[in-house]
Amino acid sequence: MTTSDKRKLILDGAEKIFAAKGFAGSKVEEIAEQAGVAKGTIYLYFPSKEEVFISLIEERVNELISLVQERIKGLDCAIKSLRLQVKTQIEFYTEHAGLLDVAFQYAPRLSYKLQQRLNKSRLKLVQISIDSIKELVSNPKSISVNTMAAMLDGAVNNLLINYFLNDYPIEAEEIADQIVTIFLPGLLQQQG
Amino acid sequence: MTTSDKRKLILDGAEKIFAAKGFAGSKVEEIAEQAGVAKGTIYLYFPSKEEVFISLIEERVNELISLVQERIKGLDCAIKSLRLQVKTQIEFYTEHAGLLDVAFQYAPRLSYKLQQRLNKSRLKLVQISIDSIKELVSNPKSISVNTMAAMLDGAVNNLLINYFLNDYPIEAEEIADQIVTIFLPGLLQQQG
Amino acid sequence: MTTSDKRKLILDGAEKIFAAKGFAGSKVEEIAEQAGVAKGTIYLYFPSKEEVFISLIEERVNELISLVQERIKGLDCAIKSLRLQVKTQIEFYTEHAGLLDVAFQYAPRLSYKLQQRLNKSRLKLVQISIDSIKELVSNPKSISVNTMAAMLDGAVNNLLINYFLNDYPIEAEEIADQIVTIFLPGLLQQQG
Amino acid sequence: MTTSDKRKLILDGAEKIFAAKGFAGSKVEEIAEQAGVAKGTIYLYFPSKEEVFISLIEERVNELISLVQERIKGLDCAIKSLRLQVKTQIEFYTEHAGLLDVAFQYAPRLSYKLQQRLNKSRLKLVQISIDSIKELVSNPKSISVNTMAAMLDGAVNNLLINYFLNDYPIEAEEIADQIVTIFLPGLLQQQG
DNA sequence: GATGAATGAGAATTCATTCAT
DNA sequence: TATGAATGAATTCTCATTCAT
């Protein structure tokens, strides 16, 4: 097993625990157990519990971005592209349930330097939606693309939380359709 | 000073600290200091730190609900009613910045009994949006009112976070307009 | 029991443990137990184990200095004064066996700021001998008073360690006599 | 490279680290690094960190003894012999600054068996001074040779520490002269 | 022999809660 | 009622030692 295999093992274990219990509620020992390594091993790969946390978020955000970019590459229909972006995001959030919420929730308690790193990741995430909306609404009339992207992201997120809370099965296709159905008319009316 | 005055004092202090530092990051001592009472006094009014937390959320959610109900009472235009509901929510969230997010974030780490209480509050919140949308869209075609309400709530929330992050001034009127502008077309098309 | 009583209790407990086991070998829990308080209580009075250590040394050095100054006050014979100073030092070291050695041993591992504080105490200690020798040897011929004081202090210290190691009973009178017997001729020849 | 070469490498590395940071403050990893070997290699040559420590002291003490014996062999003047012994000790202590102090400081925390071994080394060291004083003071009047030797050793040690603390350059000749100047008269008066 | 990744017992420190005043 | 000193369970991080390569 290579060094980066073990790093991945730890991050995967950390994700399960952090997503379930939040940052403060997750014990390093639990993470180690979940990852199948010893407590001390975690400190060979990361200098602190906080650094495990930040690294995990950065990793996942980058994965999501790569995934979206790869999938919508070459699509020529802006509506299809938006829908696919939303769907990919839903699938990813579902697979990493709760993690990203936990992530940004804890930001204010981290050191300034770590907050900066987290915020960079957060901005990368919103950028995905910004790109998709830009493609769709080239000259928005009255609302900025950023604002529209923020609404879209929030709607996606909260709809998922709602599904989780009610224990509905998450069907990415269906949810993506619902989102697009509600948003598309409003977005299109923004076309200048 | 009456008993309920002191209770209020404690909850107000707790809100400031919880909103800034999250549940785990907030020390009882800090809350006491912020409230201007001694640490021990808090335990005269609440049996535990967790109970302070839950009581605070319940209190604030009830305040928001009363406020919305009072404001939209007697309005006969559904669109105006929706807009006012959104605006009120924005003003309230702004005043209690971060608190409600913190609240629901911590839910999974509380005991089952306390989670039940928190979820009741959460459902009450979504209910506000459900009521407004029901008024607007009496017979939705393909998407449930709950789903639409969840999107709306998520969009409101996230837009606010976006404003905070970018240090834009929060103008409730303007933000409410933006939300309604994007959502209204989609919602109206749902009219069966 | 007043606040300073408890502080004293902790320092007394710490002295026993530090002297017996050194800084690194002493556990905060043991110190607490020895002092008859809970582990957490120590952190009400001192911010860290290191601070307990430094405070203890400072306290004891100040006590020794006061004791010597008080005892030799008013003596007009320099030889008697030197002898009394040596004797007092011996009695004090005996009562606080090993503590001061431990103290200065650990200096290099403390932070710079704490080292400064320790060194101040160390200099205060040597100053006692310097004062006594100055009184005896007003115009030293070839060796500085500081140098002579350092030899005297070292001899006192090591003689005591030697007694401890061999489990001889420590008779301050006798040891003071031995020191003075060996040193006096050499010191007097330094009289310019 | 032979087995004993590597052993020497490790002990030399250990000395630097132990002298600078004490026993508890020295990490096996640092010692390995300083010695230019891997951590695991140390455990091929020594069963534990403690054993590295004790072996180091024994080695150095034996070197010092050999050095003194060799140098004063054949000298017929007892005073010159004493002075040379002191000077050799000073040179050795200077070269191995701090090591021996560290050594005996840690004795109480070692296992009984290891303490015995350390004490044997300590006695060997004092024996050097005892031998020199015996040569000078064949029938001491009132103070035992051991006692005088302990004073001498303490004075040498402390004078060196004093020089270190004040950052004076260590001139073995000069310091040996100062020691002998102060001690000789007292010692000679002990001649029965 | 040599390596250094992995282990896990052990220690310092924190902080919710209690309780004597 | 109100206080805040005292408690000790719980948690993060360290580092001597082992062992597979």
Side-chain angles (χ1 to χ4, degrees), chain A residues 106-171:
Chain A
Y106 277 95
R109 267 139 278 148
L110 299 174
S111 71
Y112 183 68
K113 238 185 139 146
L114 295 181
Q115 282 189 37
Q116 300 294 85
R117 282 175 59 190
L118 264 190
N119 267 339
K120 249 188 218 157
S121 286
R122 188 200 282 264
L123 291 177
K124 278 185 182 174
L125 270 183
V126 178
Q127 193 62 40
I128 299 180
S129 294
I130 290 176
D131 291 345
S132 284
I133 290 178
K134 258 191 188 152
E135 209 181 343
L136 188 72
V137 184
S138 48
N139 295 302
K141 270 195 302 206
S142 64
I143 304 180
S144 82
V145 172
N146 280 31
T147 297
M148 290 187 276
M151 284 188 216
L152 182 63
D153 268 14
V156 171
N157 248 311
N158 206 48
L159 195 48
L160 284 174
I161 291 175
N162 197 259
Y163 269 66
F164 281 132
L165 271 182
N166 289 294
D167 253 337
Y168 297 154
I170 309 281
E171 305 286 355

Side-chain angles (χ1 to χ4, degrees), chain A residues 74-89:
Chain A
L75 274 190
D76 50 3
C77 168
I79 295 179
K80 275 189 189 155
S81 176
L82 175 73
R83 195 183 162 288
L84 189 52
Q85 171 250 306
V86 168
K87 189 184 142 204
T88 306
Q89 227 165 321

